[in-house]
């Protein structure tokens, strides 16, 4: 058996796909009878195997991988921010600087965006996805902006229905003493003498944010009316203050609100996180912030709680609400003084 | 040259196929990027670490690879696994990075990696296998081409596209890389392992 062969170079050609058709089959027949070529083929295979197995050893540690993941998502998110932050939305939101940290109970989980997109594609959009009925004494106005429908209620009662299957727009009800964010729903809201007097939710859920109080998520069947005492100061947010009926979720604005957290029912962390991410992905940043807050409240020990706390800051940042961003950043720092995103959160508190 | 089975990904990431994930990413969905990261960060980082022989750079390169992937997700060709595609993007970034620091790389290349490796205090590098050390002695273009072909399972056409070089150059590089690698390994074995 010879140790070399004039066709030896073809072994590599075969491996690299340089031989095709008849050329290939002819050389394959040769390979089966030529010892030198067979040894060469084996040597090349062994070299490749060695290369592959040598690369298998080094795995970086879990924490590092997570940290890098967060960094990546934040960078991607940053790239999206300029388009998501319309200047007029930002300036308006700046005016509502007193609005508190958001909260939301995810009453109707957002399905995978794919499916909702498919649904939206199947059904033609009706002309009016948001309907507002006002009582005769109501003083209110309605404004449309890019991606945002704003209803300003001074006094009186409104009954609102939003069909989120056909509308991708956010609906915000501006109240004399706060605001109400809709998350796919039918609800009524009343105001009088500069205060919100009643919110009832028939379907879906809303987040009620009143100045000086933690946000309240109201689900289907919930009704809210102001507590007999004046609104609780922000420092006392641990108390589930405005009396929300049934299972309405009161979110802690600070990590010390342990008992409020404990009162919250268990949910599927993965579904909750996904719902929050879906909101963020769809550009519904206010809802995303509320959902991340809800995630934190429901699953404070979950591995993704820190991600949620950080993404909540980002969601606020994207809405342009700097007061809420700062609060969320402080909340993050209080929860995770040595967190992955400590430096970024620190910068955002100012 | 088949691609290997990937490490198990979190449950959520398993729900969508790669093409579906890329479609979502093309619409700017953050969650899709997270899932893509969970699925491919490990092989991508391994590729980058070996290609660059520089662990310090890997995080930034992986980061840039995923961000580039997100930017051009709409152009994804729809194949079942986007691992080769990601590797292709990473290789393009490496090419650009190399151009930017060609003088520095030239100095390193002059040492053929040996001096650098001996001087490096990192235990991970010191514990590297012979083949890994020999790989470090190759020029970066050859090393990258070889890794793409033999470890990542890209075809020569795919490599040629990713690196924007003629397919003949891919073949030449592969041939030279294998020859040098085998010579280096043979020298190590003949010299009792350590250089």
């Amino acid at each position: 058996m010879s140790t070399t062969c004039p066709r030896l170079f073809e072994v590599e050609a075969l491996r690299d796909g340089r031989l095709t058709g008849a050329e290939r089959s002819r050389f394959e027949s040769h390979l089966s009878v030529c010892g030198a070529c067979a040894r060469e083929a084996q040597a090349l295979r062994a070299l490749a195997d060695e290369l592959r197995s040598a690369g298998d050893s080094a795995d970086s540690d879990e924490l590092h991988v997570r940290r890098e993941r967060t960094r990546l998502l934040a960078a991607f998110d940053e790239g999206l921010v300029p388009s998501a932050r319309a200047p007029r939305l930002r300036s308006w939101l700046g005016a509502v600087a007193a609005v508190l940290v958001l909260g939301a109970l995810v009453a109707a989980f957002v399905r995978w965006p794919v499916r909702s997109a498919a649904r939206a594609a199947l059904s033609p959009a009706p002309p009016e996805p948001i309907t507002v009925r006002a009582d005769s004494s109501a003083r209110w106005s309605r404004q449309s902006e890019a991606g945002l429908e704003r209803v300003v209620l001074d006094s009186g009662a409104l009954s609102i229905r939003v069909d989120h299957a056909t509308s991708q727009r956010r609906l915000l009800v501006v109240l004399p003493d706060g605001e109400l964010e809709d998350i796919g729903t039918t609800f009524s809201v009343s105001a009088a003498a500069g205060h919100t007097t009643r919110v009832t939710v028939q379907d879906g859920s809303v987040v009620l944010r009143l100045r000086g109080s933690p946000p309240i998520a109201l689900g289907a069947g919930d009704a809210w009316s102001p507590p007999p005492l004046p609104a609780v100061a922000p420092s006392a947010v641990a108390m589930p203050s405005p009396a929300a009926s049934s299972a309405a979720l009161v979110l802690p604005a600070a990590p010390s609100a342990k008992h409020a957290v404990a009162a919250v029912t268990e949910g599927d962390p993965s579904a909750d996180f996904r719902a929050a991410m879906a909101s963020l992905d769809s550009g519904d940043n206010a809802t995303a912030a509320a959902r991340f807050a809800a995630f934190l409240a429901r699953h404070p020990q979950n591995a993704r709680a820190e991600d949620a706390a950080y993404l909540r800051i980002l969601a606020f940042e994207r809405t342009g609400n700097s007061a809420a961003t700062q609060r969320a950043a402080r909340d993050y720092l209080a929860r995770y003084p040595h967190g992955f995103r400590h430096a970024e959160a620190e910068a955002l508190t100012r | 040259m088949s691609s290997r089975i990937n490490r198990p990904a979190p449950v959520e990431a398993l729900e969508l196929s790669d093409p579906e994930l890329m479609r979502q990413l093309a619409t700017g969905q953050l969650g899709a990027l997270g899932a893509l990261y969970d699925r491919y960060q490990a092989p991508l980082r391994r590729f980058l670490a070996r290609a660059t022989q520089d662990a310090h750079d890997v995080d930034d390169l992986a980061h840039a690879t995923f961000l580039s992937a997100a930017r051009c997700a709409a152009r994804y060709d729809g194949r079942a696994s986007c691992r080769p595609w990601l590797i292709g993007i990473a290789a393009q970034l490496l090419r650009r990075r190399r151009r930017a620091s060609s003088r520095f790389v030239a100095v390193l290349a002059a040492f053929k990696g040996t001096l650098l490796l001996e001087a490096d205090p990192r235990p991970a590098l010191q514990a590297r296998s012979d083949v890994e050390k020999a790989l470090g002695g190759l020029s970066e273009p050859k090393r990258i081409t070889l890794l793409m072909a033999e470890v990542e399972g890209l075809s020569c056409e795919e490599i040629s596209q990713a690196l924007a070089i003629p397919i003949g150059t891919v073949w030449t590089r592969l041939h030279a890389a294998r020859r040098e690698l085998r010579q280096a390994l043979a020298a190590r074995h003949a010299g009792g392992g350590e250089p």
Side-chain angles (χ1 to χ4, degrees):
Chain A
M1 195 191 294
S2 76
T3 55
T4 186
C5 168
R7 300 188 71 177
L8 212 54
F9 72 96
E10 285 184 76
V11 176
E12 206 173 358
L14 179 69
R15 189 170 180 84
D16 294 343
R18 274 185 278 161
L19 300 183
T20 50
E23 235 183 353
R24 183 190 167 118
S25 47
R26 271 199 299 275
F27 183 71
E28 279 172 346
S29 326
H30 170 78
L31 197 58
S32 62
V33 293
C34 174
C37 287
R39 274 194 302 279
E40 175 69 2
Q42 175 52 38
L44 291 184
R45 268 198 303 275
L47 190 68
D49 288 346
E50 208 173 341
L51 274 172
R52 275 197 289 271
S53 57
D56 274 344
S57 54
D59 260 349
S60 47
D61 68 296
E62 197 79 3
L63 280 180
H64 183 75
V65 167
R66 271 191 61 203
R67 197 178 298 127
E68 283 299 306
R69 186 186 200 275
T70 312
R71 183 165 82 100
L72 174 70
L73 296 189
F76 180 64
D77 189 66
E78 246 167 55
L80 295 178
V81 168
S83 59
R85 188 190 286 168
R88 56 189 163 174
L89 173 64
R90 189 186 193 185
S91 62
W92 176 81
L93 282 167
V96 195
V99 170
L100 268 193
V101 171
L102 307 189
L105 171 66
V106 183
F109 288 134
V110 168
R111 305 292 177 216
W112 271 111
V114 193
R115 274 190 241 156
S116 56
R119 269 204 309 275
L122 286 174
S123 55
E128 193 55 278
I130 300 174
T131 49
V132 181
R133 280 189 293 120
D135 71 1
S136 54
S137 63
R139 287 199 294 125
W140 67 288
S141 62
R142 180 174 174 176
Q143 296 147 24
S144 292
E145 293 171 15
L148 176 74
E149 189 82 14
R150 184 146 35 108
V151 171
V152 181
L153 175 65
D154 296 326
S155 66
L158 297 179
S159 180
I160 299 174
R161 185 174 181 283
V162 182
D163 185 356
H164 274 259
T166 58
S167 169
Q168 295 302 311
R169 319 188 74 190
R170 274 177 72 205
L171 173 71
L172 203 61
V173 181
V174 181
L175 299 163
D177 53 351
E179 65 180 5
L180 188 75
E181 168 112 30
D182 148 83
I183 315 178
T185 223
T186 305
F187 63 96
S188 313
V189 54
S190 312
H195 290 286
T196 306
T197 51
R198 187 168 174 80
V199 178
T200 54
V201 179
Q202 286 86 51
D203 184 28
S205 61
V206 299
V207 182
L208 176 64
R209 297 184 284 264
L210 296 177
R211 291 179 205 116
S213 306
I216 308 153
L218 299 167
D222 288 344
W224 175 92
S225 49
L229 294 171
V232 180
S235 58
V237 285
M239 297 307 293
S241 54
S245 69
S246 78
L249 164 63
V250 177
L251 288 161
S256 57
K258 285 278 158 48
H259 54 281
V261 170
V264 171
T265 51
E266 284 298 307
D268 173 13
S270 154
D272 287 356
F273 195 85
R274 217 159 48 212
M277 286 305 294
S279 298
L280 194 66
D281 289 344
S282 66
D284 190 354
N285 300 313
T287 307
R291 285 181 165 158
F292 282 123
F295 181 92
L296 277 169
R298 292 174 138 214
H299 319 290
Q301 302 306 320
N302 188 276
R304 300 177 103 166
E306 186 182 340
D307 284 350
Y310 181 68
L311 288 166
R312 178 162 156 256
I313 310 176
L314 287 185
F316 278 127
E317 171 79 0
R318 283 168 66 172
T319 65
N321 186 340
S322 54
T325 306
Q326 286 167 7
R327 270 192 301 274
R330 280 195 290 271
D331 178 56
Y332 172 92
L333 289 172
R335 284 168 193 268
Y336 307 103
H338 307 292
F340 295 149
R341 312 296 298 180
H342 182 270
E344 290 88 338
E346 186 78 30
L348 287 166
T349 57
R350 290 186 288 272
Chain B
M1 305 222 296
S2 61
S3 15
R4 290 169 309 152
I5 298 161
N6 299 316
R7 281 150 44 97
V11 176
E12 282 169 56
L14 290 173
E15 290 173 8
L16 291 177
S17 69
D18 280 7
E20 189 52 57
L21 216 52
M22 296 310 291
R23 270 194 289 278
Q24 289 194 5
L25 190 55
T27 65
Q29 292 188 27
L30 189 66
L33 184 61
L36 191 72
Y37 177 89
D38 293 340
R39 215 173 275 188
Y40 293 115
Q41 60 84 18
L44 180 71
R45 290 173 61 86
R46 274 202 295 272
F47 169 75
L48 286 168
R50 301 179 83 190
T52 58
Q53 301 286 302
D54 177 12
H56 301 299
D57 217 356
V58 170
D59 285 342
D60 290 338
L61 284 163
H63 187 82
T65 302
F66 280 113
L67 285 181
S68 298
R71 271 197 297 278
C72 55
R75 297 205 298 273
Y76 183 63
D77 63 6
R79 78 180 84 177
S81 165
C82 62
R83 177 169 166 175
W85 183 74
L86 282 173
I87 296 292
I89 293 175
Q92 288 176 45
L93 291 174
L94 286 173
R95 183 165 55 93
R96 263 180 253 155
R97 163 185 171 278
R98 186 170 173 273
R99 271 199 201 144
S101 60
S102 54
R103 201 180 306 162
F104 177 63
V105 171
V107 173
L108 293 189
F111 292 128
K112 284 274 177 192
T114 319
L115 199 59
L116 180 71
L117 297 182
E118 280 177 347
D120 199 310
R122 284 171 291 179
L125 282 178
Q126 285 171 346
R128 293 185 329 171
S129 64
D130 281 352
V131 70
E132 213 58 36
K133 288 176 185 165
L135 192 66
L138 299 180
S139 72
E140 191 174 286
K142 282 181 213 159
R143 190 165 58 232
I144 288 173
T145 311
L146 188 67
L147 287 171
M148 287 173 90
E150 298 290 28
V151 179
E152 298 300 331
L154 273 79
S155 73
C156 290
E157 283 87 343
E158 287 170 333
I159 298 172
S160 125
Q161 278 165 22
L163 299 179
I165 52 174
I167 194 162
T169 309
V170 178
W171 291 334
T172 314
R173 278 189 194 170
L174 280 178
H175 175 70
R178 289 187 187 114
R179 190 189 56 221
E180 285 175 30
L181 200 61
R182 290 166 81 179
Q183 281 168 356
L185 285 171
R188 274 175 208 284
H189 293 315
E194 286 302 308

